[in-house]
Amino acid sequence: MRVVKNLWKDKLAAASFLVIMVTITAGIAAPLIAPNDPNEVNMNLRYAASSWEYLLGNDHLGRCILSRLIYGIRPSVLWVLVALFISVFIGAVLGFAAGYFRGKTDALVMRMCDTMLSFPGYVMALAIVGILGVGLENILIAFILIKWAWFARLIRTSVMQYAEQGYVKFAKASGISDFKIIYQHIVPVTLSDIAVLSSSSIGSMVLQISGFSFLGLGIQAPNAEWGMMLNEARETMLTKPELMLAPAFAIIIVVSAFNFLSDALQVALDPKLVTSKKRSFGTNAKNKLQEKEVAS
Amino acid sequence: MGRYMVKRVLMSIPLLLVISFLTFVLINLSPLEPAEVVLQSQGVPKITEELLEQTKEELGLDKPFFIRYIHWLIDCIRLDFGESFVTGKPVWSLIGPAFLNTFKLTMVSSVIIILLSIGLGIICALKEGKFIDHSVRGISFFLTSMPPYLLASLMIWYFSVQLDLLPTSGMTSYQSYILPVTVITISYAGIYFRVVRSSMLTNLNEEYVLFGRASGLPERLITMHVLRNSLQVAVSVFCMAIPIILGSTVVIENVFAWPGLGSLSVRAILSRDFPVIQAYVLLLAAAFVVFNTISDMINAAMNPKLRNDL
């Protein structure tokens, strides 16, 4: 509850949270909210300016931009969140196993992670899309395959901090099963680390996945996706540059909202960070890792 | 130091082997039959069983998996990545020049990114909480939320079309570098200057700074000490930044039609040209390992404590 309170005090974080919630709701309820059919071609209305029926105007095929924007939330944001959730889940299972049991499990998981992380993220994603073929689901599979190793490694580090604590040793000595110790004593304390880790990579993931769609490797026409809408608008950039505005603002607003929220979450979960002075080495090393991740 | 170097280089060899094996496996997992792709791309009208068998034999695809891997690996070491399914040219003749072009773009951008991040990082750390710190961080925050391809398109629209100052695409003169390098710099400097800043801030709170101030050292000398220590962290991050940028210029290259690896790989993916994809993945993964090794070595040279880690 303290976390929610801290977050709420931060006005920017509260606004970001609201933006994200509205976006997600709009994405889920797209068929109810969208004023028109996003794929309905209407050649009479090509490049039409905004009107009451088509609030944001029409694109090069006369399709309703607002409806396409709303339907575009699904591949651009919702599916990215699903991919993130799956990779965090895989990373958490392996990270908990490696950090708690140590020994051979740890060595095996870490070697697997080292190998996966020795491929630069983008290259790995391109390779997987190259093999499986273009399409949104293949991009998402590629991202899950790239990200799990990274999450597994960081979650392991976080678990290790707690696995050596006195209360965990006590629980072990009193004969409580390993599964129960992990579930009751380690999961709750590492949850905040996991939340910070995963929220900090949403923004860059949304950008990267829309980048793949922009290149034509992601979702295929006629489905709407923000990156692809930008690519379509780019083709008529010389005559109709204003077509880029709607998808561009959508991406920038959502990505900044996620970034602001992740920063605020980090502060809310660890009040020590409010003043940037006197950071402990641990949190600092983590920040560095995150910054490195944003780049890959 | 010499021993550390040798050990570190030897350590990267098994990793390279694993990477090459994984690349090979990945391509072989493909649902498409390579022989069929070759025949299709050569425009063979009717693909018969017989023809497939014949092509398989020509490409050496009928041999056992492991033998094929060994043959492939030996060829790769000799820079022979086979022939492109689509154009029939040797893959190296396509990927070699492309790699060089991407490498040039990456190096120019990296140098600017490193200089800019160190400069901004130092300024923001020394003026922590002041107006300049807030504004630099605010701007970088906004710019890192912006998709690089959007930035690139906007810049083409403004500088090349509206003002007609710079070439829109291609790689013709030094002017062609300006826009892509700017876009890459903007998308990465914002991340790396934060690394320099936070490592400077950590060091500024160390006891040796307090000691220096207490003994009356001039502030300039203290800054030099702090800088030296904080750049150590930055060096390893920067060394890893180079391969990351090398691998992620894909989008920028496609927007600016830069004749590099990014454009080549996307074209290869869209036409399912496996030998090119394979060579691309292998080359960049190898570059990743090499830069990682170099960064460890530079770190060890700067900080003798790390040499005992192996």
Side-chain angles (χ1 to χ4, degrees), chain A residues 39-204:
Chain A
N39 297 330
E40 195 190 59
V41 176
N42 198 338
M43 281 308 190
N44 298 330
L45 288 167
R46 294 181 70 191
Y47 305 117
S50 63
S51 58
W52 276 114
E53 200 183 342
Y54 301 96
L55 278 175
L56 290 175
N58 302 62
D59 68 359
H60 64 294
L61 293 175
R63 295 174 295 194
C64 173
I65 293 183
L66 180 64
S67 308
R68 287 182 73 71
L69 215 54
I70 293 172
Y71 272 90
I73 294 171
R74 292 179 167 188
S76 309
V77 182
L78 296 186
W79 283 111
V80 176
L81 288 176
V82 171
L84 181 81
F85 185 77
I86 296 173
S87 45
V88 170
F89 183 76
I90 299 174
V93 170
L94 290 172
F96 275 110
Y100 182 79
F101 294 111
R102 309 300 308 271
K104 276 186 187 150
T105 326
D106 189 26
L108 182 71
V109 172
M110 282 303 105
R111 288 299 82 73
M112 270 158 60
C113 290
D114 283 345
T115 322
M116 291 307 289
L117 291 173
S118 60
F119 286 94
Y122 250 100
V123 177
M124 187 77 177
L126 280 177
I128 293 168
V129 176
I131 294 155
L132 298 176
V134 293
L136 182 69
E137 61 278 11
N138 294 339
I139 300 254
L140 295 175
I141 292 173
F143 268 79
I144 293 169
L145 284 174
I146 301 164
K147 294 277 173 177
W148 71 264
W150 192 76
F151 287 119
R153 175 179 273 188
L154 291 174
I155 291 170
R156 166 184 173 268
T157 320
S158 161
V159 170
M160 266 162 45
Q161 281 171 15
Y162 300 104
E164 293 297 310
Q165 300 269 335
Y167 68 89
V168 174
K169 280 186 186 155
F170 175 78
K172 268 188 204 170
S174 22
I176 299 173
S177 72
D178 287 330
F179 182 75
K180 211 170 169 191
I181 295 177
I182 293 180
Y183 183 69
Q184 290 199 323
H185 296 302
I186 300 183
V187 171
V189 280
T190 48
L191 216 54
S192 68
D193 281 354
I194 296 176
V196 169
L197 284 177
S198 36
S199 68
S200 70
S201 45
I202 301 176
S204 62

Side-chain angles (χ1 to χ4, degrees), chain B residues 49-91:
Chain B
E49 276 300 307
E50 220 172 297
L51 205 56
L52 265 180
E53 289 302 317
Q54 206 186 332
T55 328
K56 269 188 192 169
E57 218 178 295
E58 267 171 40
L59 296 168
L61 290 167
D62 53 344
K63 297 206 178 63
F65 186 75
F66 203 69
I67 308 251
R68 280 200 337 244
Y69 168 65
I70 301 285
H71 280 297
W72 175 78
L73 189 65
I74 293 169
D75 285 345
C76 284
I77 294 169
R78 295 200 312 242
L79 293 182
D80 173 12
F81 295 105
E83 280 152 13
S84 156
F85 283 172
V86 177
T87 57
K89 285 188 204 143
V91 171

Side-chain angles (χ1 to χ4, degrees), chain B residues 175-292:
Chain B
Q175 285 185 324
S176 318
Y177 280 89
I178 298 175
L179 287 183
V181 167
T182 315
V183 175
I184 297 173
T185 307
I186 288 177
S187 12
Y188 285 93
I191 297 160
Y192 291 109
F193 105 87
R194 273 157 65 184
V195 179
V196 178
R197 180 180 173 275
S198 73
S199 115
M200 279 280 283
L201 285 177
T202 322
N203 269 293
L204 278 171
N205 289 312
E206 292 285 327
E207 279 173 351
Y208 70 85
V209 175
L210 192 67
F211 177 76
R213 285 202 178 122
S215 16
L217 273 182
E219 202 57 25
R220 188 174 49 84
L221 272 180
I222 294 175
T223 313
M224 287 311 287
H225 281 295
V226 170
L227 197 60
R228 198 193 132 101
N229 284 329
S230 26
L231 284 189
Q232 232 168 58
V233 179
V235 165
S236 62
V237 178
F238 284 137
C239 279
M240 287 317 288
I242 295 174
I244 287 172
I245 297 170
L246 199 63
S248 52
T249 52
V250 183
V251 178
I252 305 294
E253 281 187 15
N254 276 286
V255 177
F256 288 104
W258 191 263
L261 278 182
S263 313
L264 185 72
S265 61
V266 170
R267 241 181 299 137
I269 288 170
L270 290 175
S271 58
R272 321 217 78 182
D273 195 348
F274 290 133
V276 177
I277 302 175
Q278 205 169 28
Y280 166 76
V281 175
L282 195 67
L283 200 65
L284 279 184
F288 210 63
V289 173
V290 169
F291 275 103
N292 208 345

